[in-house]
Amino acid sequence: MTTAEFPDEVITRSLVRYVELPGLAGPIALITLENGRDHTRPSTFGPAGLSSLDSALDEIGAHSPTVAAIAVTGKPFIFAVGADLSGVAMIARLEQAREIAELGQRVFRRLHDSSIPTFAFVNGAALGGGLELALHCHYRTLSASAAALAFPECFLGILPAWGGAWLLPNLLGADTAVKVIIENALANNKMLRAGEAAALGLADILLEPADFLERSLEWAASVVRGETTVDRPTVDRGQAWDEAIVRGKAAADGKLHQAAPAPYLALNLIAAAKTDDLDTAYAAQADALANLLMSDELRAGLYAFDLVQKRANKPVGAPDAKLARPVGKVGIVGAGLMASQLALLFVRRLQVPVVLTDVDQERVDRGVGYVHGEIDKLAAKGRLNADGAARLKAAVTGSLSKDVFADADFVIEAVFEDLKVKQQVFAEVEAVVSPECVLATNTSSLSIADMAAGLAHPERVVGFHFFNPVAILPLLEVVRAQRTDDATLATALAVGKELKKSCVLVKDAPAFVVNRLLTRLIGEVITAVDGGTPFAEADAALAPLGLPMTPFVLLALVGPAVAYHVNETLHEAFGDRFPLSANFARLVEAGKPGIYAWDAQGRPYVDPEVAALFSVGSTPSSPDEVRTRALAALAEEIRLMLDEGVVAEAADIDLCLLLGSGWPFHLGGITPYLDRIGMSERVTGRRFHEPGVASVRR
């Protein structure tokens, strides 16, 4: 692929300067990777960027006198974050895809094969191809402030194909390669911090950031002069290598159930690196990457990544952010587990006083105690210093009286999911708060408008629906009722952003987005069991999608009582699309925590007492039939939600499922997947997206 074929590339240029240091026969040629943008646009490599690095190496090779060493570093805070994936949609042929792989390999290999010592001065983030560039160098220094080192490729649906799948295992062994390339990538794209990376051996020396470049140059000179030697660990090429591959496959199966090819192809490359030479590895990596670049899974993964990185930061339909009012104190009605999690989040992110209320002192004390205890845990882990922990604990208090909300700017209720209870709570809070105070509800399914109906100022009520566990799941459904005004909505969105949540603006409709769709999905699985399908077969029917957990494991996480209550709300609103299963009701009445019990090894099995509760029919369904009905139900429900204006576009549905329920990136969310398998048109008569969105245009 040429630059002309990739006209929108933000070109990372390789700028060369020559640094004279004592005791060297020639200068150190220092290449700085610079794309001309601020730190919010990290340096990446497209065809022109790779050509710039190639030209820089040509210039260095022609320099007289001969240089003593070559070093590569990045602009402030950034080393390089890999290939410029924005051009993937323009790749239309397998040959083009292979050219991209081979170009990166050829240019980077010049550093690996250089007769002159080569160094990577990793001054900041090094992801994907950026980390591969560093691994091609003979030596690596690392700034202690570097916060992100990783191979995220398998998370997106590709693999390290510019040499990384061979270089890393041959440097540090298959165990580390599997951890970094497979396990971390599939653990929601986990990044290594500088200390972790150095401990693994990714760097030869860890240096402080204040004078990182100067110290790196001095260290490199000492290596060239022979004053410093670098010892590398001996790589175990025996049974440990094979055991690491087995472990990696188990990790991939646990996350994806073989539904996405990239991690398995990467594991094959790591396994082959045990005996392959670099030429053989390059060829295999180029073939693997080319095939993945022409796959729907990659296009879907990039679509999902774009949603999470861009759309999530700018909620569609949001009012002018200038309308947001400052929040200097937060009130929380309730002191149970959810309310306590909210209190911890608010005090950590907003750094303002947070006060909880409840109906008795024991509950209040328990809630405040939970928050204080979690702060102490953070301090024990070194994530807070003693002064910071003390300030946060002092900011979280409790009371039996809602009078403490008089000077609050934002009050959120997290009480029992009952409309009358919530209406009473809001009436009591409105009586004491200022006219500008925002009243938010964490309801999972109830009408915001109905909650606000009896208030003097219903325009200041907004839905603020978090997902459990609050500290982990990034989605926040911000719900605008019919009378919610722009200032309230802008304030809610600003608070959500300060909480570091990804906000999606949704309409005040029963169960909003995620709970509505998951309830429809689980409903189809329970209906199959009611008809006589064995529990395990019905629950495993969706395994080919690679979902993060099965429907019945999700049911246990949510809690049957909560799930059934949402089901009741949706049944009341939409009728038989959300049937009320008598078996499900008996499960809740019995107080069971779910369908499954777990053995000593943490493996689920059907609880015999639950099986005894269920009265089932004699018309079982095959797993394929269960899956087809479930996907058809989702296609129908999503089309109805879009027609109702629950969200602005199908992309918002995808974003909600990606961030609120861990929907796999390789599917691209739910709507592109339904398009690709033809379910959208079969059920609704039309696609959710134009052809080529989250898929290869054919």
Side-chain angles (χ1 to χ4, degrees):
M1 175 176 284
T2 67
T3 306
E5 292 174 298
F6 191 0
D8 296 327
E9 178 183 350
V10 176
I11 300 172
T12 295
R13 303 192 183 279
S14 294
L15 309 177
V16 184
R17 64 188 175 101
Y18 299 92
V19 182
E20 301 283 351
L21 289 170
L24 299 182
I28 291 180
L30 179 64
I31 300 171
T32 301
L33 306 173
E34 173 60 76
N35 65 358
R37 306 296 180 97
D38 65 23
H39 67 278
T40 62
R41 181 66 187 255
S43 298
T44 55
F45 287 109
L50 290 169
S51 296
S52 179
L53 178 57
D54 202 22
S55 297
L57 293 172
D58 284 341
E59 176 196 321
I60 293 167
H63 187 271
S64 180
T66 302
V67 300
I70 301 169
V72 184
T73 193
K75 65 181 184 179
F77 314 112
I78 304 292
F79 183 71
V81 297
D84 185 345
L85 297 177
S86 63
V88 169
M90 303 175 66
I91 300 174
R93 303 189 314 276
L94 191 67
E95 294 75 16
Q96 289 178 309
R98 187 175 284 105
E99 287 172 13
I100 288 290
E102 292 173 345
L103 176 60
Q105 291 173 352
R106 183 185 65 77
V107 175
F108 287 3
R109 185 166 188 169
R110 296 184 66 179
L111 294 163
H112 180 273
D113 291 349
S114 172
S115 59
I116 298 168
T118 58
F119 296 80
F121 298 161
V122 183
N123 61 307
L127 307 179
L131 187 52
E132 286 178 295
L133 171 60
L135 288 174
H136 275 84
C137 294
H138 303 151
Y139 306 96
R140 285 160 295 282
T141 68
L142 177 61
S143 170
S145 66
L149 291 93
F151 279 122
E153 284 89 344
C154 288
F155 177 72
L156 298 174
I158 50 177
L159 48 75
W162 285 345
W166 185 91
L167 292 164
L168 185 58
N170 277 286
L171 175 69
L172 300 176
D175 188 75
T176 296
V178 166
K179 173 184 176 66
V180 177
I181 295 174
I182 306 298
E183 294 173 334
N184 285 359
L186 297 183
N188 291 318
N189 199 17
K190 179 183 177 182
M191 306 282 172
L192 295 170
R193 294 184 176 274
E196 297 172 302
L200 287 175
L202 281 168
D204 298 311
I205 186 169
L206 191 65
L207 299 170
E208 290 304 313
D211 54 357
F212 174 74
L213 181 57
E214 292 80 2
R215 298 289 81 77
S216 292
L217 286 165
E218 290 174 0
W219 185 83
S222 73
V223 171
V224 175
R225 290 193 298 262
E227 299 164 358
T228 297
T229 58
V230 175
D231 295 322
R232 299 273 165 72
T234 301
V235 172
D236 186 342
R237 298 181 183 278
Q239 185 177 351
W241 194 294
D242 301 328
E243 290 174 348
I245 302 301
V246 172
R247 191 187 81 242
K249 185 177 184 303
D253 287 345
K255 293 285 186 178
L256 300 171
H257 313 288
Q258 300 190 21
Y264 299 97
L265 290 172
L267 281 167
N268 291 341
L269 293 171
I270 297 170
K274 180 179 180 181
T275 55
D276 282 351
D277 60 21
L278 186 52
D279 287 329
T280 304
Y282 273 154
Q285 289 176 27
D287 286 342
L289 180 64
N291 287 314
L292 288 172
L293 286 172
M294 297 306 296
S295 71
D296 286 336
E297 287 85 0
L298 172 63
R299 307 299 171 99
L302 295 179
Y303 164 83
F305 187 71
D306 190 65
L307 291 183
V308 169
Q309 294 296 309
K310 296 179 182 178
R311 193 178 185 93
N313 294 325
K314 296 180 180 179
V316 177
D320 189 340
K322 294 178 182 177
L323 296 173
R325 293 189 285 262
V327 173
K329 180 178 178 179
V330 172
I332 299 177
V333 184
L337 181 58
M338 175 59 81
S340 300
Q341 290 183 69
L342 293 179
L344 179 64
L345 179 67
F346 275 97
V347 76
R348 286 194 67 202
R349 299 300 187 204
L350 270 60
Q351 304 275 307
V352 299
V354 176
V355 58
L356 300 96
T357 65
D358 215 314
V359 295
D360 62 58
Q361 192 64 47
E362 182 181 355
R363 295 185 188 187
V364 170
D365 292 344
R366 189 184 308 125
V368 173
Y370 170 87
V371 180
H372 287 184
E374 291 300 305
I375 292 171
D376 286 337
K377 290 178 185 177
L378 291 170
K381 294 176 181 178
R383 297 175 64 182
L384 288 171
N385 61 34
D387 288 343
R391 283 196 300 272
L392 292 184
K393 289 168 70 173
V396 179
T397 57
S399 175
L400 294 177
S401 172
K402 295 183 177 65
D403 290 344
V404 292
F405 298 150
D407 57 345
D409 305 297
F410 191 99
V411 176
I412 182 169
E413 67 78 21
V415 299
F416 183 68
E417 194 77 347
D418 179 274
L419 181 61
K420 291 183 178 178
V421 172
K422 292 178 184 290
Q423 287 173 329
Q424 180 182 344
V425 163
F426 274 147
E428 293 171 355
V429 172
E430 187 178 54
V432 299
V433 297
S434 69
E436 293 78 23
C437 181
V438 170
L439 303 184
T441 170
N442 187 43
T443 183
S444 58
S445 63
L446 299 176
S447 166
I448 312 300
D450 287 349
M451 279 184 221
L455 299 180
H457 296 286
E459 70 277 1
R460 62 168 167 188
V461 180
V462 65
F464 218 57
H465 181 216
F466 292 88
F467 290 80
N468 197 22
V470 170
I472 296 174
L473 290 178
L475 179 64
L476 180 60
E477 290 179 334
V478 179
V479 188
R480 182 173 199 164
Q482 187 173 4
R483 298 181 66 179
T484 305
D485 64 22
D486 284 351
T488 295
L489 194 62
T491 304
L493 290 168
V495 169
K497 186 174 183 178
E498 284 191 73
L499 295 175
K500 297 189 177 180
K501 295 297 181 182
S502 296
C503 300
V504 176
L505 189 59
V506 304
K507 180 182 175 181
D508 186 13
F512 317 126
V513 176
V514 175
N515 284 348
R516 179 167 168 178
L517 291 175
L518 293 183
T519 301
R520 185 84 195 262
L521 182 72
I522 292 174
E524 291 295 330
V525 177
I526 290 176
T527 297
V529 173
D530 290 346
T533 307
F535 288 99
E537 290 185 22
D539 195 34
L542 297 172
L545 276 66
L547 301 179
M549 61 185 73
T550 68
F552 289 160
V553 172
L554 175 63
L555 182 64
L557 178 66
V558 173
V562 172
Y564 190 76
H565 178 76
V566 174
N567 198 169
E568 288 179 311
T569 300
L570 288 164
H571 177 75
E572 182 179 350
F574 301 122
D576 289 341
R577 295 207 313 276
F578 294 88
L580 294 176
S581 164
N583 285 325
F584 195 177
R586 282 192 285 272
L587 178 74
V588 174
E589 289 167 6
K592 286 292 183 181
I595 302 291
Y596 292 135
W598 273 262
D599 64 19
Q601 286 72 44
R603 294 171 299 198
Y605 63 93
V606 177
D607 185 338
E609 294 181 6
V610 170
L613 291 172
F614 273 57
S615 176
V616 301
S618 56
T619 56
S621 301
S622 70
D624 285 348
E625 290 171 331
V626 176
R627 183 169 59 257
T628 297
R629 287 199 299 267
L631 292 171
L634 288 177
E636 178 188 34
E637 203 62 36
I638 290 167
R639 175 54 60 196
L640 291 168
M641 292 167 71
L642 293 172
D643 290 345
E644 294 165 16
V646 175
V647 292
E649 297 173 2
D652 292 315
I653 299 279
D654 298 324
L655 185 57
C656 284
L657 287 183
L658 287 164
L659 297 179
S661 64
W663 201 264
F665 265 49
H666 69 267
L667 297 183
I670 179 62
T671 62
Y673 177 74
L674 294 172
D675 282 348
R676 288 197 303 276
I677 65 173
M679 189 64 75
S680 313
E681 291 176 280
R682 198 177 315 151
V683 173
T684 74
R686 53 187 166 140
R687 297 169 59 94
F688 293 112
H689 302 275
E690 293 297 318
V693 173
S695 62
V696 178
R697 185 180 291 274
R698 295 180 172 86

